[in-house]
Amino acid sequence: MTEQQITRMKKRIPTLLATLIGSALYSQQGMAADLASQCMLGIPSYNRPLVQDDGNSQPVTIQADHAKGDYPDNAVFTGNVDVQQGNSRLQSDEVQLHQKLVEGQTDPVRTVDALGNVHYDDNQVILKGPKAWSNLNTKDTNVWDGNYQMVGRQGRGTADLMKQRGDNRYTILENGTFTSCLPGSNTWSVVGSEVIQDRQEEVAEIWNARFKLGPVPVFYSPYLQLPIGDKRRSGFLIPSAKYSTNSGIEFALPYYWNIAPNFDATITPHYIDKRGGIQWQNEFRYLTQAGTGLMEFDYLPSDDEYKNEPGVAPGEKDRRWLFYWNHSGVMDQVWRFNVDYTKVSDSRYFNDFSSPYGNSTDGYATQKFSVGYANQNFDATLSAKQFQVFANQLGTFTSSYRAEPQLDVNFYQNDVGPFDTRIYGQAVKFTNVNDNMPDATRLHLEPVINLPVSNGWASLNTEAKLMMTHYQQGNLDEYKQKINANSTLENTVNRTLPQFKMDGKLIFDRDMDSVAGWTQTLEPRAQYLYVPYRNQSAINNYDSSLLQSDYSGLFRDRTYGGLDRIASANQVTTGLTSRVYDDASVERFNVSAGQIYYFTQSRTGDDNINWEKDKKTGSMVWAGDTYWRMTDRWGLRGGVQYDARLGSVANGSGAIEYRRDADRMAQLTYRYASPEYIQATLPAVYSTADQYREGISQVGMVASWPIVDRWSVVGAYYYDTNARQSADSMFAVQYSSCCYAIRVGVERKINGWENNMSKYDNVIGFNIELRGLSSNYGLGIPQMLRTNILPYQSSM
């Protein structure tokens, strides 16, 4: 793709998206009917009473214009012959009935030969041809030189010989064809020397298979399986292809392996042109008594692009791989097991490869294991957590702490008189990926007593706790010598902090005079919090960061997450919420606003926290949130936070959305985070990186709409107003029919940072899906919405 083509694509995507949003808002013309219903219009259904097979020989009735025979051995019926037995029916111009008593059997073997305009049908299949044979005892049936149509679902074809076997479980075709396209359309078909359709297992097995597009053969396989239902079956899945400036032409052909009812795997050879080889993507899913989980291992033996980059040793680091494991489970109702582990071969992996298990914007991969025990009054969790930091993307010194291991314990004892009590304890060992950084053992004990009082319209919660923490810090000499010569960290630190909190809420409601049946509430809330000051400059920061102060966050008792920074507090938080409910008790509107008033400065003694130097008091933090469901189709949501300690609006977001149904929606969003807020909340390795220095200010548009019958489009465009450039843009279109769907999409997304500029990847994707093999007739809109780097999230 040339630079000129890329520029034209960048200019056209906002225009196409604006056109799409316009049509979404003003077009009320939907599809004539649901696609699944349309497809079933051409499918025959079984309309006779269903007869249950009790295992006994079922009676046979024969109707015809004329009959003659040599009773009881033979009979010939001619003219509009109609033979019925159970759910089976055979019609033809002539039927010859033969009965023969086999030695050792009490019932004779009854067979029929049918000639001329043969029509056989039951509740599973319809067979048509010039000649047929049927065994009335076993219900085995043959039809020569005819065609078939499945009943109640898509699937039809022709064959030299069609056989019904296994009490109508199997349809066996010799030199047969199969397609899920409706009659009159042969867009695709599979031809085989033998085709066996197993309706119980919902699969078609094809030998010497030739896959055709129209009349043209495009693929051959000595053996092929096709699903003909929703049951899980081993076999190849639908391939996908795309082109990107980052990797060139890509082609993936997944193979699904149904190992057992509780185990399956998907193995995908993924050809990547520019990288000179095949990446093997291996996904394994399991369900056991210990829980459910997914494991993924992707491996590219040699990457031609990556090994040519500076600093990569030949024959060593050009192997690219990813390992992902997610597990969640409960045993015996008390044991909990969780794994969230991602590790990649190098820091540029998510820049070069698209993966659902990480992206280039995170800057790190999480690796966490935990096992827990819980009963009514006690729980304990033992965990290990670390991060793989992608340092060279950020171009700065790398520092990331590991908690290996960490033990968290809670003991609850409620209803101790009027009080509820709890004791929280933690023991953790911190180490750093950088050998020059401090390490530590941290022990924490936190008894809590709580007095809750409430009725139907008011509540008051009074709480007192004592926070006792012990630190044993090591490697301080190395840290002072190589990192920070002015460090004030100490080997042993003990910190004790009491905390007192009183939180009160009121709820008033009234019937709205203007709208019958609607109710409005007014919910004032006030909280007083006191924590004395303790100088914590002798403690390194291992796991604390500033917490977001949205409206709910105003009423937290902590300014920072973790335990290393517990800010002093002598403050009152006040807030007011109003809600409106309609006559069906659905919340139609809410608005909340609140503030924190500091009587004394909130501080920790950490000189690295800039606002502690200003010694500010008064109204310091403001936050507001709102939600308005204007109609059943229109919704608005937004929030903003102002922090006087940062001297700016800290962050904010807003979204307005029109949603007619699951496939028809349009959304306009905006999100903002100030540079000061990013520096306060993210570790320095991220917050000082060039791409975050100006903060975040992005406006986005997302829309999806079925524009005409069977056509659907999705567009997304995100623009960075600080950098004056697009952050991500995507446009995709899908055509869906009864026997196939085609999706084509283009995307331009940021996937790195190079020479103080965003690095883009331009992608063109193509997918084709065979329809009618299962009950999925979706328009592909949810899948298209998930493809871009900033996935759509509903605000309704």
Side-chain angles (χ1 to χ4, degrees):
M1 181 178 290
T2 66
E3 189 65 30
Q4 187 178 13
Q5 290 173 316
I6 293 171
T7 303
R8 286 201 300 267
M9 184 178 73
K10 289 166 58 180
K11 291 179 179 179
R12 287 173 180 170
I13 284 179
T15 305
L16 289 169
L17 187 61
T19 303
L20 172 60
I21 292 176
S23 66
L25 297 180
Y26 297 106
S27 170
Q28 297 299 314
Q29 180 63 39
M31 292 184 293
D34 180 76
L35 182 58
S37 300
Q38 292 183 37
C39 295
M40 292 306 294
L41 291 177
I43 303 300
S45 59
Y46 186 76
N47 51 19
R48 299 192 299 273
L50 197 62
V51 178
Q52 297 297 325
D53 189 354
D54 58 5
N56 298 319
S57 179
Q58 294 176 327
V60 179
T61 61
I62 302 177
Q63 296 180 354
D65 294 341
H66 308 283
K68 62 179 180 178
D70 180 13
Y71 184 83
D73 297 327
N74 301 289
V76 177
F77 302 88
T78 57
N80 299 314
V81 185
D82 189 341
V83 182
Q84 295 191 43
Q85 182 186 30
N87 296 315
S88 303
R89 184 177 188 180
L90 179 66
Q91 297 172 299
S92 71
D93 296 338
E94 178 181 325
V95 168
Q96 300 174 5
L97 174 65
H98 310 284
Q99 289 194 137
K100 184 178 181 181
L101 187 63
V102 179
E103 185 177 352
Q105 295 185 1
T106 57
D107 294 327
V109 176
R110 295 175 296 174
T111 62
V112 296
D113 292 304
L115 301 172
N117 297 314
V118 174
H119 177 107
Y120 169 86
D121 70 84
D122 56 33
N123 59 320
Q124 300 285 351
V125 69
I126 297 173
L127 307 177
K128 295 181 181 181
K131 178 183 176 182
W133 167 89
S134 182
N135 185 320
L136 299 180
N137 298 67
T138 64
K139 300 179 184 178
D140 291 349
T141 301
N142 294 348
V143 178
W144 282 265
D145 298 325
N147 60 75
Y148 68 94
Q149 169 69 62
M150 299 174 72
V151 173
R153 65 179 308 115
Q154 290 175 238
R156 62 181 183 86
T158 61
D160 293 347
L161 174 60
M162 299 176 289
K163 305 175 184 178
Q164 288 290 99
R165 295 293 186 269
D167 199 18
N168 295 338
R169 172 179 172 176
Y170 301 101
T171 297
I172 303 171
L173 313 177
E174 293 185 4
N175 294 323
T177 68
F178 173 83
T179 181
S180 65
C181 297
L182 297 182
S185 171
N186 289 309
T187 304
W188 70 268
S189 62
V190 180
V191 180
S193 59
E194 185 175 41
V195 179
I196 301 178
Q197 298 179 24
D198 185 340
R199 276 178 283 276
Q200 182 174 311
E201 293 297 324
E202 298 183 349
V203 65
E205 297 181 287
I206 307 169
W207 280 263
N208 295 315
R210 286 94 70 198
F211 182 82
K212 290 185 175 183
L213 293 178
V216 181
V218 295
F219 174 77
Y220 170 81
S221 174
Y223 176 77
L224 186 67
Q225 281 191 353
L226 282 178
I228 54 175
D230 296 323
K231 195 171 184 178
R232 298 190 312 167
R233 297 293 307 178
S234 297
F236 285 101
L237 304 178
I238 303 302
S240 63
K242 68 178 181 180
Y243 171 84
S244 69
T245 54
N246 193 34
S247 297
I249 297 173
E250 299 182 49
F251 179 80
L253 180 61
Y255 180 82
Y256 175 76
W257 182 15
N258 185 29
I259 304 171
N262 59 329
F263 296 104
D264 64 17
T266 304
I267 302 168
T268 306
H270 179 196
Y271 172 74
I272 309 175
D273 175 41
K274 279 192 175 181
R275 304 193 178 274
I278 293 178
Q279 179 193 48
W280 291 93
Q281 299 174 342
N282 308 281
E283 179 189 86
F284 173 69
R285 299 188 303 174
Y286 60 89
L287 175 63
T288 66
Q289 289 185 345
T292 180
L294 181 150
M295 302 178 77
E296 173 91 9
F297 179 66
D298 298 346
Y299 182 73
L300 179 64
S302 178
D303 188 337
D304 291 347
E305 285 281 299
Y306 185 70
K307 68 184 179 183
N308 294 325
E309 293 186 6
V312 177
E316 181 180 353
K317 294 184 180 179
D318 59 334
R319 293 185 295 271
R320 315 291 299 277
W321 53 266
L322 170 146
F323 178 73
Y324 171 82
W325 183 17
N326 184 274
H327 175 90
S328 178
V330 178
M331 285 188 66
D332 299 328
Q333 299 182 336
V334 294
W335 290 98
R336 304 185 308 275
F337 303 93
N338 292 279
V339 178
D340 182 9
Y341 185 93
T342 306
K343 188 175 180 63
V344 293
S345 57
D346 55 86
S347 60
R348 287 199 53 83
Y349 186 90
F350 291 122
N351 296 78
D352 296 338
F353 303 99
S354 297
S355 173
Y357 310 115
N359 61 71
S360 59
T361 60
D362 287 341
Y364 63 90
T366 302
Q367 300 164 4
K368 182 177 180 180
F369 300 86
S370 69
V371 56
Y373 175 86
N375 59 27
Q376 184 176 359
N377 297 314
F378 174 82
D379 67 71
T381 303
L382 181 65
S383 63
K385 180 171 64 175
Q386 67 178 13
F387 301 94
Q388 181 183 5
V389 179
F390 307 144
N392 70 346
Q393 290 182 222
L394 304 164
T396 54
F397 154 82
T398 301
S399 173
S400 175
Y401 275 99
R402 301 172 290 222
E404 297 178 328
Q406 176 174 321
L407 176 66
D408 294 274
V409 179
N410 283 286
F411 177 76
Y412 305 88
Q413 187 63 55
N414 296 333
D415 302 323
V416 182
F419 299 100
D420 295 336
T421 62
R422 176 173 67 91
I423 298 177
Y424 168 66
Q426 183 191 84
V428 58
K429 172 66 175 178
F430 288 109
T431 59
N432 200 290
V433 296
N434 190 321
D435 294 335
N436 298 322
M437 293 295 291
D439 56 45
T441 298
R442 185 178 73 193
L443 303 175
H444 182 79
L445 188 64
E446 187 177 300
V448 182
I449 185 168
N450 186 28
L451 177 61
V453 180
S454 63
N455 57 25
W457 55 273
S459 66
L460 179 65
N461 187 37
T462 304
E463 181 185 271
K465 67 172 65 172
L466 184 65
M467 298 172 286
M468 299 170 286
T469 315
H470 169 78
Y471 288 85
Q472 192 66 44
Q473 300 181 119
N475 204 36
L476 299 187
D477 293 338
E478 193 79 10
Y479 175 65
K480 290 179 181 179
Q481 180 180 353
K482 296 184 178 180
I483 304 297
N484 184 2
N486 299 318
S487 169
T488 58
L489 302 182
E490 299 176 5
N491 289 99
T492 302
V493 181
N494 293 303
R495 181 191 64 194
T496 302
L497 283 167
Q499 176 182 297
F500 176 78
K501 182 177 73 172
M502 183 176 289
D503 187 0
K505 304 176 186 178
L506 296 172
I507 301 177
F508 305 100
D509 64 77
R510 70 178 183 91
D511 294 332
M512 299 180 64
D513 298 332
S514 56
V515 185
W518 286 42
T519 304
Q520 180 186 10
T521 70
L522 197 64
E523 305 170 22
R525 182 178 180 182
Q527 174 184 279
Y528 175 73
L529 176 66
Y530 177 77
V531 180
Y533 168 70
R534 297 289 186 271
N535 189 329
Q536 295 157 55
S537 60
I539 303 172
N540 189 42
N541 188 352
Y542 300 100
D543 66 352
S544 287
S545 61
L546 182 68
L547 296 172
Q548 181 176 344
S549 296
D550 55 10
Y551 178 76
S552 298
L554 295 177
F555 295 90
R556 293 192 187 99
D557 58 7
R558 297 280 179 86
T559 304
Y560 300 92
L563 295 171
D564 301 320
R565 296 294 178 264
I566 300 178
S568 63
N570 184 14
Q571 67 191 49
V572 170
T573 304
T574 56
L576 183 66
T577 297
S578 181
R579 309 177 195 272
V580 175
Y581 297 91
D582 64 15
D583 52 2
S585 299
V586 175
E587 188 174 5
R588 290 287 182 172
F589 175 80
N590 70 56
V591 61
S592 301
Q595 64 151 348
I596 302 178
Y597 186 93
Y598 292 87
F599 296 106
T600 59
Q601 181 193 6
S602 177
R603 55 198 180 116
T604 64
D606 188 343
D607 292 336
N608 294 318
I609 303 175
N610 293 328
W611 66 65
E612 292 196 6
K613 302 173 185 178
D614 297 333
K615 299 181 180 180
K616 293 182 179 179
T617 59
S619 296
M620 302 298 294
V621 182
W622 289 80
D625 299 325
T626 188
Y627 168 73
W628 183 15
R629 189 171 182 178
M630 295 172 276
T631 69
D632 290 338
R633 296 181 178 179
W634 283 94
L636 181 147
R637 187 184 298 275
V640 64
Q641 295 89 49
Y642 175 81
D643 196 327
R645 298 170 300 179
L646 301 175
S648 67
V649 173
N651 62 78
S653 63
I656 183 170
E657 178 174 336
Y658 174 85
R659 171 176 283 273
R660 180 174 170 180
D661 53 39
D663 294 323
R664 299 165 174 84
M665 57 75 58
Q667 184 188 75
L668 179 66
T669 61
Y670 177 75
R671 63 174 186 151
Y672 172 82
S674 69
E676 296 82 6
Y677 175 76
I678 292 176
Q679 291 172 13
T681 54
L682 291 180
V685 67
Y686 306 113
S687 61
T688 58
D690 291 338
Q691 55 265 53
Y692 295 118
R693 284 179 181 171
E694 295 185 6
I696 298 172
S697 178
Q698 289 183 352
V699 61
M701 297 179 289
V702 180
S704 68
W705 205 262
I707 49 175
V708 293
D709 191 16
R710 303 188 181 186
W711 287 89
S712 57
V713 295
V714 165
Y717 184 78
Y718 293 89
Y719 182 79
D720 190 321
T721 60
N722 284 339
R724 295 184 176 87
Q725 64 182 17
S726 66
D728 185 31
S729 53
M730 181 270 288
F731 183 82
V733 59
Q734 175 164 316
Y735 174 78
S736 302
S737 73
C738 296
C739 67
Y740 68 93
I742 295 178
R743 183 189 312 155
V744 180
V746 294
E747 183 178 9
R748 175 177 167 82
K749 60 183 179 181
I750 296 176
N751 80 331
W753 187 260
E754 196 172 85
N755 299 324
N756 294 325
M757 295 180 63
S758 298
K759 184 180 178 181
Y760 287 91
D761 189 18
N762 301 290
V763 181
I764 300 175
F766 175 81
N767 293 82
I768 186 168
E769 177 183 345
L770 302 183
R771 290 293 180 89
L773 301 175
S774 69
S775 59
N776 176 28
Y777 291 90
L779 296 175
I781 284 176
Q783 294 89 336
M784 291 188 284
L785 285 172
R786 288 195 298 266
T787 56
N788 56 314
I789 196 171
L790 298 171
Y792 159 76
Q793 293 180 335
S794 175
S795 63
M796 299 286 280

